Amino acid sequence: MAVDYAVIVVYLVGMLAMGWWGMRRAKSKSEFLVAGRRLGPWMYSGTMAAIVLGGASTIGGVGLGYQYGLSGAWMVLTIGLGLLALSVFFSARIARLKVYTVSEMLDLRYGGRAGIISGVVMWAYTLMLAVTSTIAYATIFDVLFDVNRTVSIILGGAIVVAYSTLGGMWSITLTDMVQFVVKTIGVLLLLLPIAVVKAGGFSEMKAQLPTEYFDVLGIGGETIFTYVLIYTFGMLIGQDIWQRVFTARSDRTARWGGTVAGTYCLVYAIAGAVIGTAAKVMYPNLASADAAFATIVKDELPVGVRGLVLAAALAAVMSTSSGALIACATVANNDIWSRLRGAATRGGDGGDPHDEVKGNRAFILIMGIAVILIAIALNDVVEALTVAYNLLVGGLLVPILGGLLWRRGTAAGALAAVCVGGSAVIALMAVYGILANQPIYYGLLASLAVYVIVSLATPPTDAAVLATWRERLAGRGGPEETAEAEAPAPASAPAPAAP
């Protein structure tokens, strides 16, 4: 294992070095939180694919393939479909708004009355997403170094917190590009073909496994529908995803770069399901489906390759963890703390840039420590993540998409939708159980009904608010553009002396 250890150590040291380098570039709020809004298509595509394909998509995707066969790809497929929908239909408009959080978008669209409640819901979602990603380190480091769960979480979490705190989105962008390359090589180019060959090829896999393992809908129509509601719609409204859209340097980058990333997700989904199906042939009696990834890597891959593939798994977890962490800290600072202390800066870079970077850096460190402590204490991560996604989709999907698509939606309707949808999801989870499908079904319907009824029963949104909204959707009047317009012109060169 010495060679494998060396590969992992080089990878981890490289992540910290990227964090240090990113710190030198993050000199303003915009650079620290959204990488200066200037990522080109290739870097944008790689980082977007990296953040959405985390530990659940890699280790969990292989586990679903082990349990259900090719239809186990549906969870990650719905993530890819959500990213494609976001990129094609909404990303250009989102990027033009020039905001930092989803709640700022709601305030801009509805007139500044739904922000703090939506911020609390979004904060809870991003916090639990970061926690569940951090817990995944325990599985990987256990395979690598045979250390206990707590040490694994602290080790992996500390590295992510360190490079995220140092350089913010610049550090995360640079590390995500490396992680994207490592995942592509480790999972798609190495583990996938090796797993299929070790299982005897597709013909042997079909001979050894029941026919339902090769049924595209074998996982069940209701399960697929629930995945669409939670993951496809979740991709449309999550702060962690929107914050990456904000990094695009143009509408075209956001649209086409995201489309490339979404297509990559579809390929990754099928690869994970095939690897899991191959693992079922080789290890038909594993105690846990989620152990399939670690088992096949540990037992079937040669030295060096094993280290690279484990680094790929680590990369997948770190991408999601760091993206969720900066999203959580951004919401906590800009949408909750700033409003509570009465000094929120509506979407701009107001104040001293150094102080704003320092404040956001402090929040990443505080949220990172909280994430590590919660991850150590928490056991049932599936239930925690389900609660987070149910609250996110049940409470925020309708007011966000309604604001983008329906002019008649009002602040009162949005606020009612957030409160009723979120409350309905919580109450129904208590009745039907956290993992039941009914809470998200009925919670969404309640949110939609209340949004439409209350919006129609209340006065339309103020014309001035809608005019400002349309200006921002058109890419005019953003905070950075306003700051540039108000900046003093540089002194002109002195006229030459008369001869």
Side-chain angles (χ1 to χ4, degrees):
M1 292 287 288
V3 175
D4 297 322
Y5 290 159
V7 171
I8 297 296
V9 169
V10 168
Y11 169 76
L12 294 177
V13 171
M15 295 300 99
L16 292 174
M18 292 287 185
W20 183 263
W21 190 84
M23 181 177 66
R24 302 175 62 185
R25 299 199 63 170
K27 302 299 185 184
S28 69
K29 179 180 178 181
S30 177
E31 289 173 333
F32 191 82
L33 294 182
V34 291
R37 306 187 195 273
R38 56 175 187 256
L39 296 191
W42 292 111
M43 187 166 281
Y44 178 85
S45 297
T47 57
M48 182 63 87
I51 188 176
V52 300
L53 296 173
S57 300
T58 303
I59 298 171
V62 171
L64 287 171
Y66 183 89
Q67 190 173 358
Y68 297 104
L70 297 185
S71 67
W74 273 107
M75 183 186 79
V76 185
L77 282 173
T78 56
I79 291 173
L81 292 173
L83 183 53
L84 284 171
L86 174 71
S87 302
V88 172
F89 299 113
F90 300 109
S91 63
R93 281 184 281 177
I94 292 170
R96 286 196 294 264
L97 291 174
K98 296 290 190 287
V99 295
Y100 291 103
T101 68
V102 174
S103 294
E104 286 181 15
M105 168 264 169
L106 290 173
D107 278 356
L108 185 65
R109 166 61 180 82
Y110 294 110
R113 282 186 279 173
I116 194 164
I117 295 176
S118 63
V120 170
V121 174
M122 189 64 76
W123 174 78
Y125 157 72
T126 53
L127 178 70
M128 295 316 302
L129 183 62
V131 166
T132 52
S133 300
T134 302
I135 290 174
Y137 296 129
T139 301
I140 300 169
F141 281 107
D142 178 58
V143 175
L144 284 173
F145 306 118
D146 194 25
V147 295
N148 68 44
R149 180 178 183 274
T150 299
V151 174
S152 298
I153 290 171
I154 292 173
L155 178 59
I159 292 170
V160 169
V161 171
Y163 72 69
S164 300
T165 302
L166 286 173
M169 187 59 83
W170 267 123
S171 294
I172 293 171
T173 297
L174 295 170
T175 55
D176 277 358
M177 274 306 297
V178 175
Q179 289 159 357
F180 170 73
V181 172
V182 171
K183 277 192 289 192
T184 301
I185 295 173
V187 175
L188 296 185
L189 301 183
L190 293 176
L191 183 58
L192 175 61
I194 290 174
V196 172
V197 169
K198 293 281 187 178
F202 285 103
S203 58
E204 184 65 20
M205 289 162 63
K206 287 185 177 181
Q208 293 288 334
L209 296 173
T211 55
E212 56 263 28
Y213 265 72
F214 302 92
D215 181 357
V216 175
L217 303 177
I219 199 170
E222 185 177 356
T223 299
I224 295 171
F225 182 64
T226 303
Y227 284 160
V228 170
L229 285 182
I230 293 177
Y231 297 115
T232 301
F233 288 147
M235 287 294 106
L236 298 180
I237 60 175
Q239 169 69 25
D240 51 326
I241 309 302
W242 276 42
Q243 200 156 343
R244 293 308 173 97
V245 176
F246 300 152
T247 66
R249 74 182 178 199
S250 67
D251 298 355
R252 183 179 177 83
T253 296
R255 183 181 294 112
W256 294 109
T259 301
V260 171
T263 305
Y264 178 91
C265 291
L266 303 183
V267 175
Y268 200 89
I270 296 169
V274 171
I275 292 168
T277 305
K280 184 67 175 179
V281 174
M282 291 182 278
Y283 310 99
N285 300 312
L286 290 178
S288 168
D290 284 341
F293 181 90
T295 302
I296 195 170
V297 169
K298 191 174 182 180
D299 294 349
E300 302 297 335
L301 299 186
V303 172
V305 173
R306 179 170 52 205
L308 184 59
V309 172
L310 286 172
L314 198 57
V317 176
M318 283 186 164
S319 297
T320 300
S321 182
S322 58
L325 177 59
I326 194 171
C328 177
T330 303
V331 171
N333 187 18
N334 292 270
D335 292 336
I336 300 176
W337 172 245
S338 292
R339 295 168 195 263
L340 290 176
R341 68 188 175 96
T345 302
R346 299 267 51 90
D349 284 333
D352 180 59
H354 178 73
D355 288 343
E356 293 211 326
V357 170
K358 198 167 147 188
N360 282 292
R361 184 173 281 135
F363 264 87
I364 291 180
L365 180 60
I366 293 168
M367 290 297 106
I369 293 171
V371 163
I372 291 172
L373 294 176
I374 296 171
I376 292 171
L378 199 62
N379 288 319
D380 199 330
V381 297
V382 175
E383 290 194 354
L385 193 58
T386 301
V387 170
Y389 265 104
N390 282 352
L391 279 173
L392 174 72
V393 176
L396 293 180
L397 178 69
V398 170
I400 291 172
L401 292 189
L404 289 169
L405 299 174
W406 191 38
R407 179 189 172 118
R408 187 61 180 80
T410 66
L415 193 58
V418 173
C419 295
V420 171
S423 300
V425 163
I426 292 172
L428 291 168
M429 284 192 292
V431 173
Y432 290 102
I434 289 175
L435 299 180
N437 294 327
Q438 289 89 341
I440 192 63
Y441 295 167
Y442 300 142
L444 261 178
L445 287 174
S447 180
L448 178 60
V450 167
Y451 179 73
V452 173
I453 292 170
V454 175
S455 291
L456 292 175
T458 52
T461 304
D462 185 83
V465 171
L466 287 178
T468 301
W469 168 254
R470 286 193 296 270
E471 283 288 301
R472 293 286 283 274
L473 279 179
R476 298 186 296 270
E480 287 97 345
E481 182 179 309
T482 302
E484 289 176 5
E486 294 176 351
S492 57

